[in-house]
Amino acid sequence: MRMARILLIASTQTAYGVQHYLMQQFAIDLREMGHQPRIVEVYGGKSAEEILKKFDNSLDLVLSFNNILLELKDIRTQAKVIELLNLPYCGYLLDHPGYHVERLRGHHPTLRVACVDKSHVSYAQDEFDLNAFYLPHGACRVNSEETPFRQREKKIVFVGTYSDPSERLAVFKTLKVGTQNLVSDIIHHAEANPLIPLVDVIQSALK
């Protein structure tokens, strides 16, 4: 396998820093495979400038998480950074493509998209005409002395996207009756079919 020079780009402005940790793990694994990864973390106006400094003709691939690169512009010229990189480009979508409509519409011709769910691939292909493929979301490594899951006394509770149900209900009650009925149908369908992505459930209800 030929060694590749890969530029990894992620945002620091995400809940619980998931992109930061995932990118660090990607870099470790790529080095172990014999590749040469470089890292850029997006944190503000100088991000595009930093990316361009790390870019040179020796790079073989640019990979950004959730396609963040498509939003970055050169501070001085306002040109999109992706248009300045004459390289193969891959966006790794950590969410359903439906959450990133603005980034995926009118996408760059060299873009390939990796999806964490197989059902996302066909959606990306049908809705955005993307060159998409399946790449499952691996877990970060843990120390060998980590307690096995079945032996842990406390269950894991994921609260990263928690919101107060009463606040959601208050918003629901302000909707028109027709919209309330539609939302209710979507909820019942989603609860009855937990393996179907929510975006697909909504699409089915709107047809």
Side-chain angles (χ1 to χ4, degrees), residues 95-111:
D95 310 301
H96 192 284
Y99 289 105
H100 303 286
V101 173
E102 296 304 320
R103 293 180 186 173
L104 297 177
R105 280 181 178 160
H107 57 81
H108 195 266
T110 66
L111 172 65

Side-chain angles (χ1 to χ4, degrees), residues 55-69:
F55 163 73
D56 58 55
N57 292 329
S58 68
L59 285 172
D60 298 297
L61 173 69
V62 178
L63 185 150
S64 76
F65 294 90
N66 279 344
N67 266 9
I68 187 66
L69 181 59

